[in-house]
Amino acid sequence: MHMADALISPLVGGTMWVATAGVAAYSIKKIQSEMDEKKIPLMGVMGAFIFASQMINFTIPGTGSSGHIGGGLLLAILLGPYAGFLTIASVLTIQALFFADGGLLALGSNVFNMGFFSCFIAYPLIYKGFMGRGYTTKRIFFASILAAIIGLQMGAFGVVLETLFSGKTELPFGTFVLLMQPIHLAIGAVEGLVTAAVVTYIWNARPEILEGAASGRALGNVSIKKVVAGLIAIALITGVGLSWFASSNPDGLEWAMIKTAGTAELEAPDGLHQQLSDLQTKTAFLPDYSFKTPEAETELSAGEEEETWPAISGGTSTSGLVGGGLTLALAVLVGVGIGLLKRRKYRTNS
């Protein structure tokens, strides 16, 4: 659900930027009371894990489409909704700036669609509602799948509404929504399974992490070395190697656009859209998770090479390694900044 800038108008894009900034500011304020030193590296590692996981597009059988996990629900379960939202915002910011995955104008929409609904609606109202009676493997799987599906359905509907309010007549509401919702239902089910598997691993290794995130308590003396090491190893394997095996089929949003408008890319107007596109071209040093290719060479090779699978690529592996590192660094920087604000507030009150 990484929306391109061409899908939304400047008014809608700006409005969603303001809404997302408001949620981020609220999250920063709320998290100060529960932030401790151990949550900071966990935010970074989880950000890198989600970045790598999103590089794996899985095929949706019988549709010609693919999907990848959003990650907002998993982050909320392990970090709490506030730190979870800030971490998914870090992931999507790195993707947009350095990998041209999602537009800069649409960044507010993307963070809101993939972060807000999962962290502040699906997690507290669905997931926590089931897990309030205690953790069991069955409850983890059922709650994860249901919450992931509902969060992704709301996010997909958010995309449809944003294109509607942007006046995108190429994507009529009725047709677009009837394609977006079912395909993201399937994607949500897979995300729920992945979420349940990771949560079960954490629950067996360090249940205190889940309990602390749910209650807002600091981790205190709980050792998270084993969990952090495991997540780093999985992120490295996924981003550097398993990303070669990602499906080449269009993702759920692109598939719905192709079925609705006959194309996965709408033409962006001049003005702000073009200015932000030019800026993104300068900042994205690994566009589409690959090395930059000269335009002339790209046109020459277009249509001459058949896509191979797995798509073994040094550019993809580099993107997984660099992107994971940048996301980890940004998420840690956010955590450190919040920690400094907390200490400053404490000194002021004292």
Side-chain angles (χ1 to χ4, degrees), residues 246-250 303-312:
S247 172
S248 60
N249 290 337
E304 295 182 1
E305 292 185 13
E306 294 184 3
E307 289 187 353
T308 58
W309 189 90
I312 299 174

Side-chain angles (χ1 to χ4, degrees), residues 127-179:
Y127 183 86
K128 286 186 71 174
F130 280 97
M131 302 313 299
R133 290 171 287 178
Y135 281 83
T136 67
T137 301
K138 288 183 179 179
R139 283 180 188 158
I140 289 174
F141 271 83
F142 184 78
S144 297
I145 293 172
L146 184 60
I149 287 175
I150 291 176
L152 205 56
Q153 286 291 288
M154 297 182 74
F157 191 64
V159 171
V160 176
L161 287 179
E162 287 151 14
T163 59
L164 173 68
F165 293 144
S166 296
K168 298 300 173 180
T169 56
E170 304 95 329
L171 301 170
F173 177 82
T175 304
F176 196 32
V177 75
L178 287 175
L179 289 165

Side-chain angles (χ1 to χ4, degrees), residues 35-52 75 78-79 83-84 86-88 90-91 94 224 227-228 231-232 235 321-336:
M35 176 61 70
D36 64 342
E37 299 299 325
K38 289 191 175 179
K39 183 164 282 189
I40 294 174
L42 192 58
M43 286 176 64
V45 171
M46 283 304 304
F49 175 81
I50 295 300
F51 180 96
L75 291 171
L78 298 185
L79 300 172
L86 295 173
T87 304
I88 193 64
S90 299
V91 173
I94 293 297
I224 61 172
V227 170
V228 167
L231 291 172
I232 289 176
L321 190 61
V322 172
L326 288 173
T327 305
L328 187 152
L330 180 56
V332 167
L333 184 62
V334 169
V336 170

